[in-house]
Amino acid sequence: MIIVMSPGATQEDLAKVTRKLERVGLKAHLSTGEERTIVGVIGDKKTIANLEMNMMSGVEKTVRITEKYKLVSREFHPEDSVIDVAGVPVGGKRLVVMAGPCSVESIEQLREAARAVKDGGAQFLRGGAFKPRTSPYDFQGLAEDGLKMLRQVADEFGLKVVTEIVDKDDIDLVGEYADLYQVGARNMQNFQLLKALGKVKKPVMLKRGLSATISEWLNAAEYIAAGGNEQIIFCERGIRTYETFTRNTLDLSAVAAVKELSHLPVIVDPSHGTGRWQMVQPMARGAVAVGADGLIIEVHPHPEIALSDGDQSLKPGKFNAVMQELREIAAVMGRTI
Ligand code: PEP
Ligand code: MN
């Protein structure tokens, strides 16, 4: 349930509402907008069902929420949230771009990639140190050595670090080097990991599961938020369909859907979303036009010898050209890059 306070409600009205909720063991989650405050009610379903708040002073109306996710919903928080990632706002007027290789392979590879990422005007260096590969015989990542390289090279170029976490036991380790935790598609419903990330103070980028519905995706985010960490960024990265020409089917309509249902930022990954470098630029165009808050793009100095995802990685020159064009599209959308 949400309680919409009237514009003229006083602090005392609000305090009374909160006290009443707390008395019956419910939690109040306040969202203070410019005009009015919205109180999200969290707790036991039956207690909420029996709650009568409409008669209280300062209460304009109460709205029953049918969806299970609450903290991440726009009903709870009507205004867009801007997530601060180590000083970079995500979800504001300026689009955020994260780019870099699929896997961290060596310091030289990472430096070449980071140079391209920086020259193109992106703010984040991406790179996997723990790789969730389909085959156990494929390159699994450099683990902590890879994390160290990421931090070192990102600092050399003035970039932030986003990298994947695959195991809740690695939260402290990854957090030492990363500015933003990435939860990969394969772990979108790893509830132990999500709960553990709910306890950290760093933002989390939650990629959409391989065949997750939008509701499942939002509920996965709710696990993180319910633990106390509401700094969440969604990332649409394509879903499994019957199509085989592309690696995944990039669901750009999900951006519009999540924007409608949630206040949190959404970015798009056209690299994993298509699996083909030729399609990264057209889909990136679409992502900006549909209202995404940013992009995550795989860039490799030598895609032909990449240890993972070479087929979908852009070379530095191409990445630069994509960024230049995106700037123009962003301007049409009233945004900057
Ligand atoms: C990645 O970003 O390198 C990755 C493995 O992505 P996803 O989890 O979307 O497959
Ligand atoms: Mn990849």
Side-chain angles (χ1 to χ4, degrees):
M1 176 199 269
I2 60 171
I3 302 167
V4 181
M5 302 300 290
S6 57
T10 64
Q11 282 305 318
E12 184 51 29
D13 292 336
L14 191 59
K16 278 189 184 150
V17 165
T18 321
R19 272 203 298 276
K20 176 164 176 180
L21 296 174
E22 285 167 357
R23 260 202 308 277
V24 290
L26 298 170
K27 270 210 265 179
H29 182 276
L30 300 191
S31 165
T32 318
E34 267 170 29
E35 267 210 358
R36 62 184 86 232
T37 297
I38 290 181
V39 184
V41 185
I42 302 162
D44 179 61
K45 262 196 272 180
K46 269 200 199 132
T47 316
I48 295 177
N50 293 326
L51 205 57
E52 177 42 65
M53 303 296 287
N54 283 307
M55 302 305 283
M56 291 189 75
S57 162
V59 171
E60 185 172 290
K61 61 176 177 180
T62 57
V63 184
R64 305 263 161 198
I65 296 184
T66 44
E67 283 289 353
K68 288 226 170 82
Y69 53 84
K70 298 178 168 61
L71 299 175
V72 305
S73 77
R74 199 175 273 287
E75 280 166 318
F76 252 46
H77 192 293
E79 284 153 35
D80 285 345
S81 282
V82 177
I83 309 297
D84 183 300
V85 188
V88 177
V90 183
K93 193 166 181 279
R94 182 159 184 221
L95 298 179
V96 69
V97 179
M98 312 178 184
C102 178
S103 301
V104 176
E105 299 169 9
S106 68
I107 195 96
E108 294 77 20
Q109 170 242 21
L110 200 58
R111 262 200 199 106
E112 269 191 82
R115 188 166 295 118
V117 169
K118 184 71 185 180
D119 287 351
Q123 301 98 323
F124 282 78
L125 180 62
R126 64 143 289 148
F130 295 99
K131 295 305 301 176
R133 303 304 300 280
T134 301
S135 161
Y137 307 117
D138 285 341
F139 178 58
Q140 301 287 308
L142 297 179
E144 188 171 4
D145 286 345
L147 295 175
K148 282 187 184 154
M149 290 179 201
L150 266 173
R151 184 75 266 165
Q152 186 189 324
V153 172
D155 287 345
E156 282 172 22
F157 287 88
L159 295 163
K160 307 296 174 200
V161 171
V162 54
T163 195
E164 181 162 356
I165 173 142
V166 295
D167 188 331
K168 72 173 176 26
D169 294 339
D170 292 335
I171 284 189
D172 291 341
L173 175 73
V174 174
E176 238 180 86
Y177 301 99
D179 297 302
L180 175 63
Y181 287 106
Q182 170 176 332
V183 175
R186 288 154 195 82
N187 275 310
M188 190 204 84
Q189 284 186 319
N190 178 340
F191 298 118
Q192 296 308 320
L193 177 62
L194 301 177
K195 281 183 190 173
L197 286 168
K199 300 283 169 231
V200 303
K201 298 261 177 297
K202 257 185 200 180
V204 178
M205 180 174 80
L206 181 65
K207 293 189 105 179
R208 185 177 180 184
L210 304 178
S211 43
T213 64
I214 285 170
S215 168
E216 285 164 343
W217 191 16
L218 293 171
N219 275 297
E222 187 78 14
Y223 265 91
I224 304 171
N229 184 2
E230 293 180 43
Q231 303 176 81
I232 305 163
I233 300 162
F234 288 105
C235 176
E236 162 61 40
R237 48 79 70 204
I239 47 172
R240 268 295 156 79
T241 67
Y242 49 79
E243 184 54 68
T244 54
F245 178 68
T246 43
R247 179 177 178 183
N248 291 294
T249 297
L250 184 63
D251 181 10
L252 286 183
S253 77
V255 176
V258 173
K259 286 264 158 207
E260 184 180 323
L261 297 169
S262 175
H263 55 94
L264 294 167
V266 191
I267 72 160
V268 169
D269 176 348
S271 308
H272 293 88
T274 62
R276 304 182 67 246
W277 70 265
Q278 299 89 332
M279 294 179 72
V280 169
Q281 182 168 27
M283 297 317 283
R285 286 177 191 139
V288 173
V290 84
D293 296 298
L295 291 152
I296 181 163
I297 296 176
E298 286 188 340
V299 173
H300 196 292
H302 310 285
E304 59 292 346
I305 52 162
L307 295 182
S308 60
D309 289 351
D311 291 347
Q312 64 192 38
S313 300
L314 299 185
K315 291 184 185 165
K318 181 71 184 171
F319 176 65
N320 212 291
V322 170
M323 289 294 283
Q324 276 195 31
E325 190 197 48
L326 290 181
R327 257 177 221 113
E328 291 173 37
I329 299 172
V332 173
M333 297 301 296
R335 301 184 83 167
T336 57
I337 290 192

